[in-house]
Each structure stands twice: as C-alpha cells, then as structure tokens.
Amino acid sequence: MDLRRRDVDLRELMDDPDCDPVALAQTLRRFDVVNRAVSGWGTVWRRHLRPALARLDRPARVLDIGSGGGDVTARLARLAERDGLDVGWVGIDPDPRALAVARERGRPDLEFRSTDSTALRASGERFDAVISNHVLHHLGEPELEAFIADSLALSRGVVLHADIERGRAAYALYAAGILPLQHGTFLRTDGLRSIRRSYRARELRTTLAGRGEWHVVRPAPFRVLAVGAGRA
C-alpha cells in the first residue's frame, strides 16, 4: 500500500446514495465507539474548546459542520454539561440518512438540521465556535475552499477541524483493530479509504496556507487538528 500521497480518487461506500441503508445506519451508530477510541476529542475539548467557551462567561452556541450520525456532537454536549457550561449545540448535515441516526441522540441542548455551511452562513446565523470531524479528507479543492471560508465566517471564536493523519501505522492498526466492529457495516472499508485520502500534518499546513490564520497540531496519535480564528 503506497501511502506517500493522498489517494483523492477513492470514494467511501457510505457516500453512495444507493448504498445499503441498514449497513449505513449501523456504520453511523458504531462510529460512537470508533470515535471514542481514536478521535482525540476528549483532548480537543480540554485543551481547545472548553477553555474558549468558558472564557465567554455566558451561554454559548457551537456548530458542528458535517455532523453525520451525531456522536461527536452528542459527546461534547455531555462533556459541557458535566463541566457546568451552558452550551447550545447545532449539528448540520445535508444527508437525510445521517440526520435520521443523529436525531436518535436528541437532547434539549442539541439540535440537528438538514442543511450545509453555505446555506447557514447565508442565513446570518453565527456561533461562538465551529467544529468538524472527518470532513476535510472528503473535500476536493473547490469544496475545501468553500468549507474553510464558511467555517471562518460562521464563527465568532475558535474553529476546530479534526481528522485522521495518514500513515502506515494508522492504516495497519485500524485494519486489525476494527475487525470486531465491522460486521454489517462499512467501517473497515471506509475507514481504510479515509486514511488513504487523509492529510499528513505538513500537507494540511500547506493546504491551509493563505486561507486564514491556522495552525495544525496533533491532539492524539494518528490525528490532526486545524485550529483557526473565526471572522464573524
């Protein structure tokens, strides 16, 4: 397997509008387990998001762009509640299949909407933080340009885009570690394709150069996090 370059021609099974709906729903539900194990959002919450929200000293609003099955948004909502922060969470995704799963995770402080960042930006809504998980590696050049511009325009504060970091160790460990969870899902095939499409930290720094003030860190093994400042 050649992982020296991003394989941008790969497409994930779950992105096919005609994919098996049962397998898709199971994939989205089991992302909760996968993301808890490998996504590093606990660290991102402690080091980046919680301090930014706590400094506001008022109720906050956070937007999750491309929220998929909603597990990351719901987990962060629980962490905010645990830490005594008053936060309203909005997850957006244009895919009604993902939205149906996300709405299974409903909470009073959590809302999922069928829309995208461009439409939300045009509506005039603004947030105290904007986040995403596993979105960057899906995007081609024109889509990335719009996504970054939208996320900066929608946030009055921090912008956090988290993703996988491509590498041989990440590929090998995921290929073996996902086996107990893969039955009836797209987790193994799509996860490995995602790794092959994803950025290395230096590539992401280069890609984001000139698109605002960003710095790229590694919050956990095999993870990259682009940290930016909103312009709203």
Side-chain angles (χ1 to χ4, degrees), residues 68 81 133:
E81 181 181 43
N133 185 63

Side-chain angles (χ1 to χ4, degrees), residues 44-55 82-83 85:
V44 175
W45 169 252
R46 291 190 302 272
R47 294 182 182 174
H48 300 278
L49 189 52
R50 180 177 65 186
L53 300 179
R55 283 194 295 269
R82 181 202 66 186
D83 292 344
L85 295 180

Side-chain angles (χ1 to χ4, degrees), residues 58 60-66 90-92 113 115-132 146-161 214 228-232:
R58 59 168 173 78
R61 298 182 76 221
V62 178
L63 173 67
D64 183 359
I65 303 177
V90 177
I92 62 170
R113 302 182 192 173
T115 188
D116 60 27
S117 59
T118 300
L120 197 61
R121 176 183 177 183
S123 76
E125 284 200 64
R126 298 297 181 260
F127 298 82
D128 297 300
V130 170
I131 67 171
S132 75
F147 178 80
I148 292 300
D150 288 345
S151 64
L152 292 173
L154 283 160
S155 179
R156 294 183 286 256
V158 71
V159 179
L160 302 168
H161 295 311
W214 295 92
R231 298 172 176 169

Side-chain angles (χ1 to χ4, degrees), residues 110-222:
L110 175 57
E111 176 188 4
F112 291 104
R113 302 182 192 173
S114 178
T115 188
D116 60 27
S117 59
T118 300
L120 197 61
R121 176 183 177 183
S123 76
E125 284 200 64
R126 298 297 181 260
F127 298 82
D128 297 300
V130 170
I131 67 171
S132 75
N133 185 63
H134 293 174
V135 173
L136 295 180
H137 72 263
H138 284 276
L139 305 177
E141 187 69 19
E143 298 166 314
L144 179 66
E145 187 78 34
F147 178 80
I148 292 300
D150 288 345
S151 64
L152 292 173
L154 283 160
S155 179
R156 294 183 286 256
V158 71
V159 179
L160 302 168
H161 295 311
D163 213 330
I164 310 155
E165 182 170 30
R166 189 179 78 256
R168 290 186 180 278
Y171 191 91
L173 289 170
Y174 185 85
I178 200 63
L179 290 174
L181 293 173
Q182 71 166 340
H183 180 69
T185 75
F186 305 136
L187 284 173
R188 192 170 190 273
T189 297
D190 280 4
L192 294 175
R193 291 183 180 184
S194 293
I195 293 170
R196 292 169 63 186
R197 284 190 59 98
S198 64
Y199 294 90
R200 290 178 174 164
R202 65 177 181 273
E203 294 170 344
L204 187 54
R205 290 187 190 101
T206 300
T207 298
L208 294 176
R211 291 186 166 103
E213 296 182 9
W214 295 92
H215 67 279
V216 176
V217 298
R218 293 182 174 98
F222 319 122

Side-chain angles (χ1 to χ4, degrees), residues 9-74:
D9 293 325
L10 282 174
R11 292 293 179 268
E12 295 181 21
L13 299 177
M14 63 188 300
D15 290 336
D16 181 350
D18 297 319
C19 71
D20 180 348
V22 175
L24 175 62
Q26 283 294 89
T27 301
L28 292 167
R29 293 187 184 105
R30 289 187 197 171
F31 271 143
D32 194 2
V33 178
V34 176
N35 281 323
R36 282 178 177 275
V38 303
S39 71
W41 272 100
T43 299
V44 175
W45 169 252
R46 291 190 302 272
R47 294 182 182 174
H48 300 278
L49 189 52
R50 180 177 65 186
L53 300 179
R55 283 194 295 269
L56 296 174
D57 197 29
R58 59 168 173 78
R61 298 182 76 221
V62 178
L63 173 67
D64 183 359
I65 303 177
S67 52
D71 63 287
V72 169
T73 332

